[in-house]
Amino acid sequence: MTQQKVYFNSRDSLLRLDIRKIVYFVSDGNYTFVVNANDHKVCLGMNLSRTEEALASQLGEHAKQFMRIGKRLIVNMNYIYVIDIQKQVLMLSDCEHFRFQLPVSKEALKTVKELVMQTRL
């Protein structure tokens, strides 16, 4: 299997990321932070919509592993571990090295749960 990379290019830098190590993207206004499996955060000089477009254009079919959740998050579906609608928590983990607990609305979590059950990724 070849390593799938995604590239984010700005005026001053080039960021190359292995998509298997990206856990989630989180929006902060006009910027997006990429959070990797080692909890390393990198800031992209683009909003979440542009980040989503970059993933789709560069990754094609592989972009389906990333799911937009509300206005603030894009998560790697391969790391969805727990969807707790009552507590409004989405837990992302590889069950070995890391665990991220993200606050997400009940409605968004219901949608995530339905999509995960449909796709069985």
Side-chain angles (χ1 to χ4, degrees), residues 9-20:
N9 191 15
S10 72
R11 185 178 60 111
D12 298 324
S13 64
L14 174 68
L15 179 63
R16 183 182 79 145
L17 297 168
D18 182 340
I19 64 171
R20 295 171 303 170

Side-chain angles (χ1 to χ4, degrees), residues 1-8 15-23 25 34-37 55 59 65-66 76 79:
M1 181 176 141
T2 60
Q3 288 188 357
Q4 276 292 92
K5 305 282 187 201
V6 64
Y7 297 85
F8 295 98
L15 179 63
R16 183 182 79 145
L17 297 168
D18 182 340
I19 64 171
R20 295 171 303 170
K21 302 218 167 119
I22 298 170
V23 181
F25 297 86
V34 183
V35 181
N36 291 320
L55 290 171
L59 299 177
Q65 78 184 57
F66 293 98
N76 187 334
Y79 293 122

Side-chain angles (χ1 to χ4, degrees), residues 91-118:
M91 191 176 301
L92 304 172
S93 178
D94 69 348
C95 300
E96 203 173 314
H97 300 102
F98 67 86
R99 184 180 74 194
F100 297 100
Q101 194 167 309
L102 306 173
V104 179
S105 73
K106 286 184 181 183
E107 289 307 311
L109 286 175
K110 287 178 185 176
T111 303
V112 170
K113 183 180 175 189
E114 287 174 20
L115 284 170
V116 168
M117 292 302 291
Q118 287 172 7

Side-chain angles (χ1 to χ4, degrees), residues 18-120:
D18 182 340
I19 64 171
R20 295 171 303 170
K21 302 218 167 119
I22 298 170
V23 181
Y24 67 97
F25 297 86
V26 63
S27 170
D28 186 8
N30 289 329
Y31 297 95
T32 300
F33 288 91
V34 183
V35 181
N36 291 320
N38 64 358
D39 200 18
H40 184 251
K41 293 180 178 106
V42 179
C43 182
L44 304 176
M46 63 178 67
N47 64 27
L48 201 61
S49 292
R50 284 197 45 224
T51 303
E52 191 174 29
E53 290 167 8
L55 290 171
S57 68
Q58 291 183 50
L59 299 177
E61 281 296 306
H62 292 285
K64 290 181 180 179
Q65 78 184 57
F66 293 98
M67 175 193 297
R68 175 86 182 248
I69 301 175
K71 295 177 183 177
R72 295 200 64 230
L73 290 171
I74 296 174
V75 302
N76 187 334
M77 291 179 63
N78 294 318
Y79 293 122
I80 293 176
Y81 180 56
V82 175
I83 300 168
D84 191 326
I85 296 169
Q86 218 37 47
K87 293 182 182 176
Q88 297 184 26
V89 168
L90 177 66
M91 191 176 301
L92 304 172
S93 178
D94 69 348
C95 300
E96 203 173 314
H97 300 102
F98 67 86
R99 184 180 74 194
F100 297 100
Q101 194 167 309
L102 306 173
V104 179
S105 73
K106 286 184 181 183
E107 289 307 311
L109 286 175
K110 287 178 185 176
T111 303
V112 170
K113 183 180 175 189
E114 287 174 20
L115 284 170
V116 168
M117 292 302 291
Q118 287 172 7
T119 58
R120 302 277 184 176

